[in-house]
Amino acid sequence: MVEWTDAERSAITGLWGKINVDEIGPQAISRLLIVAPWTQRHFAAFGNLSSPAAIIGNSKVAAHGKTVMGGLERAVKNLDNIKAEYASLSIMHSEKLHVDPDNFRILADCVTVCVAMKFGPSVFTADVQEAWQKFLAVVASALGRQYH
């Protein structure tokens, strides 16, 4: 189990409270599909992913981004039990979707970049980034747990 300091909890929940999932989710998934094009193989049913403009304008990509952020909200609300909260998602991504677990880390990086660009250094301070990246590392680990 991960130990969270009061400062980390405050940083994570405080930042989460500022995030517009309808904005950051689509941006993060779009960025993932652009910077890590091999991840597109999991989204063939989404239609045209042939260019950055096509990805950014794809409504199915945007919808999945919102879904991903909904999953992150579950983790924020269950900081003390993220692994259990994500057990079924880990099984689905491992056994049904066959997602490379390293892709979770790349997506976490994309979420972090989008959040940092949105809020800048006055909100996304080094202390907030430290807590946020720890949080996303725990999420990525929980999603990849079924692979171990």
Side-chain angles (χ1 to χ4, degrees):
M1 183 170 110
V2 175
E3 304 243 348
W4 303 104
T5 66
D6 290 342
E8 288 169 336
R9 287 177 187 278
S10 178
I12 293 162
T13 58
L15 182 61
W16 184 257
K18 293 174 174 67
I19 292 174
N20 177 346
V21 299
D22 294 339
E23 178 183 2
I24 298 297
Q27 288 176 3
I29 290 291
S30 293
R31 183 172 286 270
L32 172 72
L33 296 173
I34 294 165
V35 303
W38 60 89
T39 62
Q40 293 177 20
R41 74 179 185 88
H42 299 290
F43 301 97
F46 283 18
N48 185 7
L49 303 175
S50 64
S51 69
I55 292 167
I56 292 166
N58 187 307
S59 62
K60 291 181 180 178
V61 170
H64 190 65
K66 294 172 191 176
T67 299
V68 167
M69 296 305 281
L72 281 182
E73 183 172 32
R74 288 174 46 197
V76 169
K77 290 179 177 179
N78 294 283
L79 285 172
D80 292 321
N81 208 6
I82 293 173
K83 286 187 179 180
E85 184 65 31
Y86 274 45
S88 63
L89 282 174
S90 179
I91 291 168
M92 179 180 71
H93 283 84
S94 169
E95 296 177 8
K96 182 179 177 190
L97 302 174
H98 308 289
V99 175
D100 181 336
D102 196 45
N103 292 344
F104 304 134
R105 183 193 54 78
I106 299 167
L107 177 57
D109 289 347
C110 291
V111 171
T112 298
V113 167
C114 293
V115 169
M117 289 188 320
K118 171 68 178 177
F119 296 111
S122 63
V123 172
F124 200 70
T125 65
D127 289 339
V128 170
Q129 180 181 354
E130 179 184 26
W132 184 250
Q133 286 190 248
K134 178 180 176 180
F135 165 68
L136 291 178
V138 171
V139 167
S141 175
L143 282 169
R145 188 171 190 200
Q146 183 64 28
Y147 296 84
H148 305 301

